[in-house]
Amino acid sequence: MGDVVRAAVLGPGNIGTDLLVKLQRAPSIEVALMVGIEPDSPGLARARALGVETSAAGVDAVLARDDVALVFDATGARPHRAHAPLLAAAGKRVVDLTPAAVGPYVVPPVNLDAHLDAPNVNLVTCGGQATIPIVHAIDRVADVAYAEIVATIASASAGPGTRQNIDEFTETTARGLERVGGADAGKAIIILNPADPPILMRATVFAEVRDPDAAAIAASVRAMAAAMQAYVPGVRLKLCDVDGALATVLLEIEGAGDVLPRYAGNLDVMTAAAAEVGERLARRLLAAGRRVAA
């Protein structure tokens, strides 16, 4: 298989374009193709300027490439549900950045190791990537009965895909709080803030716990925030408070500014997570190739 895994990015919008730049820093991945459906897409133009081959033929362009083993789908929930069986039949490993949830939910510092061999992994939502690790951190020391998260993002950072998938966002994030975060029940709320200048992303976690231990919760949350900062440097823990059985955690997330404005932390947390997942999957594929060759 060589020293890198060849990959394609499906969807040249804000998320796909930012992801492309991050993947170019991934040591085990070579982005061979950026795919869209509009020939004049700014995202495709940027990819070409970076020396990446492009196509406006949609998923068919990916299916035609035998050399592409890893696909990042940054389109939307509905398109991904159509893409998923086609990519699976072609033997492509898929990282799904949409709320489609065809494959298992994956949040890098929580459960990535358990799904390195899954053919299709889902990154939940931006709110999920920001808050599920915190819910998990609380649950592992205090047993979360109920978790509610509020993701507040700049309206300017919410593109058409985000706006079209609001229902999927809330439903998928709530399920992720339960399935990955460990809460018995979860609820998610998203707020698009129209403030000018745009605000940084803020994510608030409210967790009702059965075993409230303020010191243990604070230590666990701090450790998780540090783990998140390893791949999303703009994550900042602003508050961790325990009042009786209620734990409240406030995060602020600043984007890296690779392609998008720094206030677009909601997009950055997704693309950074996708790059982290992709790199780990690529190393797994490379290791498997070496074992077969041996």
Side-chain angles (χ1 to χ4, degrees):
M1 186 175 288
D3 295 325
V4 295
V5 171
R6 304 197 85 192
V9 176
L10 188 54
N14 286 339
I15 290 179
T17 304
D18 191 72
L19 174 61
L20 172 63
V21 173
K22 286 180 169 59
L23 290 177
Q24 291 194 311
R25 298 195 292 263
S28 303
I29 295 173
E30 176 190 336
V31 180
L33 185 65
M34 166 74 93
V35 175
I37 57 174
E38 296 292 341
D40 298 328
S41 160
L44 293 183
R46 187 180 186 99
R48 288 191 292 271
L50 292 171
V52 176
E53 184 179 342
T54 66
S55 171
V59 71
D60 289 341
V62 178
L63 298 173
R65 294 287 293 264
D66 292 336
D67 61 323
V68 169
L70 183 60
V71 179
F72 297 83
D73 194 333
T75 56
R78 185 175 299 173
H80 183 70
R81 292 188 186 104
H83 298 159
L86 301 174
L87 294 169
K92 312 292 188 187
R93 297 290 296 278
V94 180
V95 179
D96 173 21
L97 286 81
T98 81
V102 172
Y105 295 146
V106 166
V107 179
V110 180
N111 70 338
L112 176 54
D113 288 343
H115 298 294
L116 287 174
D117 294 318
N120 183 313
V121 295
N122 177 259
L123 295 188
V124 200
T125 60
C126 62
Q129 288 295 331
T131 61
I132 288 171
I134 300 302
V135 172
H136 173 74
I138 298 170
D139 183 68
R140 66 189 174 186
V141 297
D143 192 8
V144 175
Y146 173 74
E148 182 171 309
I149 71 97
V150 181
T152 304
I153 67 174
S155 181
S157 72
T162 298
R163 295 173 187 274
Q164 290 167 9
N165 288 289
I166 290 292
D167 289 344
E168 287 90 346
F169 172 94
T170 55
E171 294 165 5
T172 300
T173 305
R175 287 196 299 267
L177 297 173
E178 299 165 0
R179 296 180 188 177
V180 183
D184 292 353
K187 180 179 180 180
I189 299 168
I190 184 171
I191 297 172
L192 307 186
N193 189 312
D196 188 16
I199 64 164
L200 296 179
M201 179 186 185
R202 294 184 175 89
T204 305
V205 175
F206 303 100
E208 293 181 357
V209 302
R210 295 188 175 90
D211 303 311
D213 181 329
I217 291 172
S220 185
V221 167
R222 285 195 299 269
M224 183 58 76
M228 295 171 69
Q229 287 165 348
Y231 62 98
V232 192
V235 169
R236 291 190 282 268
L237 177 62
K238 306 296 286 186
L239 173 73
C240 180
D241 179 72
V242 180
D243 183 4
L246 178 64
T248 303
V249 177
L250 175 62
L251 296 177
E252 182 178 79
I253 303 174
E254 181 176 359
D258 287 325
V259 171
L260 304 163
R262 290 189 176 273
Y263 61 74
N266 56 304
L267 303 180
D268 200 74
V269 73
M270 281 292 283
T271 55
E276 176 75 5
V277 171
E279 173 63 18
R280 293 280 300 281
L281 291 176
R283 293 204 300 262
R284 183 78 158 194
L285 289 169
L286 291 170
R290 286 191 287 269
R291 288 196 295 271
V292 170

